[in-house]
Amino acid sequence: MNALPGDLQSSVLLRRPDVLQAEHQLIAQNANIGAARAAMFPTISLTTSFGTVSSALSGLFGANSQSWSVAPGATLPIFDFGRRKGNLDLARAQQQGAVATYEKTLQTAFREVADALATRGTIDAQIGARTRRASAAEISARLSDARYRAGVDSFLTSLDAQRTAYSARRDLVTTRLARATNLVTLYRVLGGGLS
């Protein structure tokens, strides 16, 4: 992933786990509104049963032992003291909360990608500058050591040059680690890859 494709679409963010989770929560809340709305309508049921009836076990399957019944039922939502309307209002409020969560998740995804890409855009220049600094500090340390051995400079000057060279190498390693960490971060914020 050293070079990102130039035609990278923002739709790649839709594969991020956090975006998928927020999307599925939104879908579930939309379904809850449909269920709460359906509960507002009256329900009518018609139950039938067929069997045999006999006062004695020997006549249970006789010709005149058949029995059947029909039991109609109706449930009207007007007698629930507003419970179903409250459930519908709750489902709508939860759906609006899921919309807000989804939007916030998308904004976070875009921000994280923008931050990672901004870092990626400057990290190579930082590594180049740190490499040149480390090289110059290494040359300075060798020259300072040669001057000390020739008796021109003090040992303290040589030690100071070595400390500067060590610090420059450490900064270079830290910047290379930042580049590797940025690649991992970029991979993560893009939802795990580009394929």
Side-chain angles (χ1 to χ4, degrees), residues 131-180:
T131 301
R132 289 187 298 276
R133 179 176 177 245
S135 177
E138 190 66 36
I139 292 170
S140 176
R142 278 185 292 186
L143 288 174
S144 182
D145 185 56
R147 289 174 57 97
Y148 164 71
R149 293 185 189 280
V152 176
D153 278 343
S154 69
F155 185 65
L156 184 60
T157 304
S158 176
L159 283 177
D160 189 45
Q162 289 174 12
R163 182 188 53 78
T164 301
Y166 172 75
S167 176
R169 283 193 308 269
R170 185 189 67 220
D171 289 346
L172 177 59
V173 168
T174 301
T175 307
R176 285 180 179 160
L177 174 64
R179 177 174 58 185

Side-chain angles (χ1 to χ4, degrees), residues 112-136:
E112 288 176 349
V113 169
D115 291 348
L117 288 174
T119 300
R120 182 176 170 78
T122 62
I123 197 81
D124 288 335
Q126 290 176 19
I127 287 178
R130 302 279 164 114
T131 301
R132 289 187 298 276
R133 179 176 177 245
S135 177

Side-chain angles (χ1 to χ4, degrees), residues 63-75:
N64 293 326
S65 66
Q66 295 177 348
S67 169
W68 64 278
S69 68
V70 176
T75 305

Side-chain angles (χ1 to χ4, degrees), residues 4-15:
L4 289 173
D7 61 344
L8 187 62
Q9 299 293 319
S10 62
S11 63
V12 73
L13 297 179
L14 296 177
R15 294 191 308 243

Side-chain angles (χ1 to χ4, degrees), residues 42 66 84 92-93 110 121 136 177:
Q66 295 177 348
R84 294 176 195 205
R92 285 182 177 150
F110 275 103
L177 174 64

